[in-house]
Amino acid sequence: MVKPFVGTWDTQWVSQDNRVQGSATLTVTESTVSQSSELVLNGFWDAPDMRPGTVHGKLSGNTWHGEWWLSPTQRGEFTFTLEGDGKFQGTYTDLNRPALKSEIWNGVLIRKHVPV
């Protein structure tokens, strides 16, 4: 069975005033770590002029919620919700800048990963 979000995504970070702040390719896999009956997903993103980042979190229905990291001191939280086939709408926060509102992080599916 193909899991939601498992695949490669073309994503964009968008400010609250709708300006694109950056883009990245996000690759998502199912975690090999089992936590009760919940599905755990891992991912990493690669963006131009930025070091790679990591995401990790739990899937509940069509929503994936967890944490992102660029380094031990640069991290935050994210929530992605599938919107139809091949798109997600999401938000992220930066735990180093708690005064800022959550920003937008959206994605379009490039390729589904199918188990062998």
Side-chain angles (χ1 to χ4, degrees):
M1 177 173 127
V2 176
K3 308 290 192 233
F5 290 102
V6 174
T8 302
W9 299 82
D10 182 22
T11 70
Q12 289 186 329
W13 297 290
V14 181
S15 66
Q16 292 293 335
D17 60 357
N18 231 14
R19 288 182 294 127
V20 174
Q21 296 181 313
S23 63
T25 300
L26 172 65
T27 303
V28 181
T29 62
E30 185 175 348
S31 177
T32 57
V33 177
S34 176
Q35 294 181 359
S36 66
S37 63
E38 296 176 317
L39 181 60
V40 177
L41 301 176
N42 293 321
F44 65 92
W45 76 83
D46 190 18
D49 302 319
M50 181 184 260
R51 65 179 169 249
T54 303
V55 289
H56 174 82
K58 295 178 183 177
L59 182 68
S60 177
N62 286 338
T63 300
W64 181 25
H65 176 77
E67 294 185 342
W68 62 266
W69 299 271
L70 280 174
S71 73
T73 59
Q74 191 174 7
R75 62 190 185 89
E77 296 179 341
F78 71 92
T79 301
F80 299 154
T81 302
L82 290 173
E83 299 285 331
D85 190 32
K87 289 185 179 182
F88 71 77
Q89 300 288 320
T91 59
Y92 73 96
T93 59
D94 187 333
L95 296 178
N96 294 322
R97 300 182 337 196
L100 294 178
K101 294 181 180 179
S102 64
E103 299 287 339
I104 299 166
W105 189 354
N106 296 328
V108 176
L109 186 65
I110 298 171
R111 179 177 61 244
K112 280 187 179 183
H113 298 184
V114 181
V116 199

